[in-house]
Structures are given as structure tokens and as C-alpha cells.
Amino acid sequence: MEQFVAGNRAALQDHVRQHQEIHVVMGNEACDLDSTVSALALAYFLAQTSPAPKAAFVPVLNIPRADFALRTETTFLLRDRGIPAASLIFRDEIDLGGLHHAGLLSLTLVDHHVLPGADAALEEAVVEVLDHRPLERDRGPPCQVTVEPVGSCATLVTERILQGPPGVLDRTTAALLHGTILLDCINLSPAAGKVTPRDVACVSLLEERFPELPARDAVFQALYAAKFDITGLTTEQMLRKDLKVLSSDDVVVPISGIFEDLETFLHRPGLLQDLEAFCQARGYAGLVAMTVSFNERHEPTRKLAVYSRQEPLRSTLCRALEEATTPSLLLQPLPSPEPCVVAYAQGNAVATRKKVLPILRAALGGLGAAGGSEEEAVPPPTPMNSLVEECPLAQAVPPLCPQDVLERVSRIAAGQPPGSPK
């Protein structure tokens, strides 16, 4: 795997010069660990087994390179397994439209099966789909479609590789697939409502083939910690890592989920300048941050900060949060190092960002707009699949938030059932 990834860029350039087929394997736009590893592993397998020896099989990470640092669990696992980020190819480093127009592109989709509208022109280049989400649209021949209700797309890739010629699966690829399935399926915990017997079987087969793989608990805990690790991220990256955006006719305000204690966040060097630059660059009139941290009993502590240079907007947002009754947030003022930042301890720790969003949306609507609307930030946050509500695989996945996930996983780790009171 290491040599395959290291040679991808040169292979791509050579095939473009020689006008030969380029077969891209690409995950979804969230580019979480499952999408990334599924693309890498399947492209590696196809390169070893394809009957089309003249094609270059190129895994592409479906985000700009600048966003890769936000995928902390992915950067951790690839670094741990000796895959340097410099060797990876990102969406802004390959012209898929140009390759398709030149008649060189074949496209395999993993961890999704419907291209976004901006990529509609690439649909006719899709030759295969491997996904674990419910099928939204049919694809006729010659496209090969594998859509199965398992917990992780990496499970489907593992099955595909294990059904292939012996000796293709190497230790690095096995470790990447093993870790991805464990993280996606919450360490194979039935309480999470995510794992299926096929996920369990693949993890067991990988461990049987490579008994030197680390213990499941160690792998899961390391990846779980890395997923919410903000060490080394800039303020701008922290604010973008988990972002929702609310807008009215005239005002746009984001709310960021931050996994750090609020006091620590507010005393970051240069914070005020960073907040101002972040908002100015994106046309935001202000910003709300919800921080969450956990004690040794896995109980969450939530705090809120409201930033805006515009005093009327800041007062409107603060008043809405302070006076909210559905739910009441039970806010207590906290000291703030800057007059344009208002800080609160949130007494109602059960009120997640999903509960705060309607409060802020109504406040923006009261500014004279037709009504606040919610937009998904770009890039979208890493999807957390079925961990927010009681939603087994057969049910539709609700809107997701990493803060909800962290709480739910912490409760699972503490031995509490998913529906127990917090």
C-alpha cells in the first residue's frame, strides 16, 4: 500500500501525458475515515487485480487539501500507518471534468452513490458503486452496483478484497480497514445500533489473517480520541471543524461546536483578531460557539460564547439565549476577556446544539427577515452516522452533530444504554 500511494501522482501524470485511462476511486464530500480508507484500499486492490493493465487506479480524497487537517482521525491513522499526506491526491489537485472531457476518466464511487449537482457531468463516467447507504437511485448496466446495509463501507471493501486472489491484502491495508470498521461501528458495540454481523466477521477475518494487529479496544480508543482532538489546529480550523450556518435576509451567523473548555478557548493568543478575520472572510455578522467537555463520569459540561462587533446583533442573540424557554438553557454569565464576546455557563447540559439552533434561528427571524434558515457549512463536518438518536440501520439518519456523538459514545463506554437519562 505505501508504495502504491507514493506512486499515485507520478502514475496520474504519466497517464495524462500518454492519453491513457485513469480510473479514479473516490469517496463522498465529507471525506471521513470510512470514505478515505475505502477509496485507498479499493484502488490498491483494483491496481493489483484489474484485467486492464494500462489503466492507472488513483484514489482521490474528495476535499481540498487545505481541509485535510480537520479530519483528525484520518490524519492520525494514515500517519500511524506510514501513509504521508504529501502522497495523497485531493479533489482540488485533479481535474476530473477535464479528464472526462478527454475521454480518459472511469469513476468508482465508494461510501456514496449519488454525485452532487456540481458533478452531474461526471455521472456517465461512473462504472462502479460500493456503498452502505440506502439506494436513492438506480444505475443501469454497465455500472456495477453494490449497496449493502452494513455499518461501514470499509466492510464491503474488506469483503471484496478477501474474495480476491490470496496475497493481495497487505498488513498496512488490513490495519487501515480494521481501524475504520472499529471506529465506524463504535468498537462493534451492539448498544450503538450500528454494527452488523458482516462488520464483526470482517474484523475477525482481518485479525485472523494478521494476528499482530493491535487490540480492538486500543485501536478504537486511539481513533476515538483523535477524532475529537483539536491539538495543533488554528482557531480558524477549530471554528470550521464542526460548523452550522444560520442566515436571514441580511444577517449570517454560524454556530461552531468546539471540543475545548470555553475559558481555555477564550484565552487563545490572538483570539479576537482570529474571530474578526474568520467572520469578515465569510461575511458573518457574528458567531456563536458552543463548547463541550466531559468529566471523569462522562457527564458533559456546556458553555456558550456570543461574538459580534455589532452591539444590537450581539444583544439580540444574547437576549434570545437568556430568555429561551423551549428549552431553558439556564445560563449563568462568565467573565470574558473582550467586551464584544459574551460568555455563559449552560446549566442545562442536555440542551445540545440541535436544541440551540431553533432559538438562534428565531432570533434572526425577529431582525426583520422572513425567517432564519439553516445551511450546512462547507466543507460538511465529518458524518457521525447513526449515533445521535435511537436510529438503527433500518431507519433514516437524522441531522448529526459531533457533540451528540461524543456524549452518546461516552455513555456507551460508561455502560449506560443509549436511551438512559444523562
Side-chain angles (χ1 to χ4, degrees), residues 273-295:
Q273 293 84 350
D274 289 341
L275 292 176
E276 185 171 1
F278 183 80
C279 291
Q280 284 187 350
R282 295 161 178 80
Y284 298 153
L287 179 143
V288 178
M290 174 182 280
T291 66
V292 61
S293 55
F294 292 84
N295 61 21

Side-chain angles (χ1 to χ4, degrees), residues 5 54 62 74 84 104 109-110 112 115 136 156 176 206 209 229 245 256 282 327 339 364 381 420:
V5 174
K54 292 187 178 181
N62 200 4
T74 305
L104 301 181
L109 305 181
V110 292
H112 69 313
L115 288 169
E136 296 179 23
L156 300 178
L176 293 175
L206 290 170
R209 187 80 62 90
D229 183 13
V245 179
S256 293
R282 295 161 178 80
L364 291 181
S420 62

Side-chain angles (χ1 to χ4, degrees), residues 149-181:
V150 293
S152 175
C153 187
T155 293
L156 300 178
V157 176
T158 302
E159 291 178 342
R160 176 80 167 273
I161 294 174
L162 291 175
Q163 291 166 5
V168 172
L169 182 64
D170 66 349
R171 183 180 293 104
T172 298
T173 307
L176 293 175
L177 293 165
H178 181 255
T180 301
I181 299 170

Side-chain angles (χ1 to χ4, degrees), residues 157-210:
V157 176
T158 302
E159 291 178 342
R160 176 80 167 273
I161 294 174
L162 291 175
Q163 291 166 5
V168 172
L169 182 64
D170 66 349
R171 183 180 293 104
T172 298
T173 307
L176 293 175
L177 293 165
H178 181 255
T180 301
I181 299 170
L182 288 175
L183 182 65
D184 247 13
C185 298
I186 318 303
N187 206 16
L188 309 184
S189 169
K194 182 80 189 292
V195 67
T196 71
R198 290 168 67 176
D199 301 300
V200 176
C202 280
V203 168
S204 298
L205 287 169
L206 290 170
E207 292 169 345
E208 180 181 324
R209 187 80 62 90
F210 296 93

Side-chain angles (χ1 to χ4, degrees), residues 247-300:
S247 63
S248 69
D249 288 347
D250 304 309
V251 179
V252 182
V253 175
I255 176 167
S256 293
I258 295 175
F259 293 92
E260 184 175 66
D261 184 71
L262 182 60
E263 285 83 352
T264 303
F265 178 72
L266 291 179
H267 287 89
R268 289 177 66 88
L271 177 70
L272 190 60
Q273 293 84 350
D274 289 341
L275 292 176
E276 185 171 1
F278 183 80
C279 291
Q280 284 187 350
R282 295 161 178 80
Y284 298 153
L287 179 143
V288 178
M290 174 182 280
T291 66
V292 61
S293 55
F294 292 84
N295 61 21
E296 63 279 0
R297 297 186 299 276
H298 308 284
E299 297 167 339

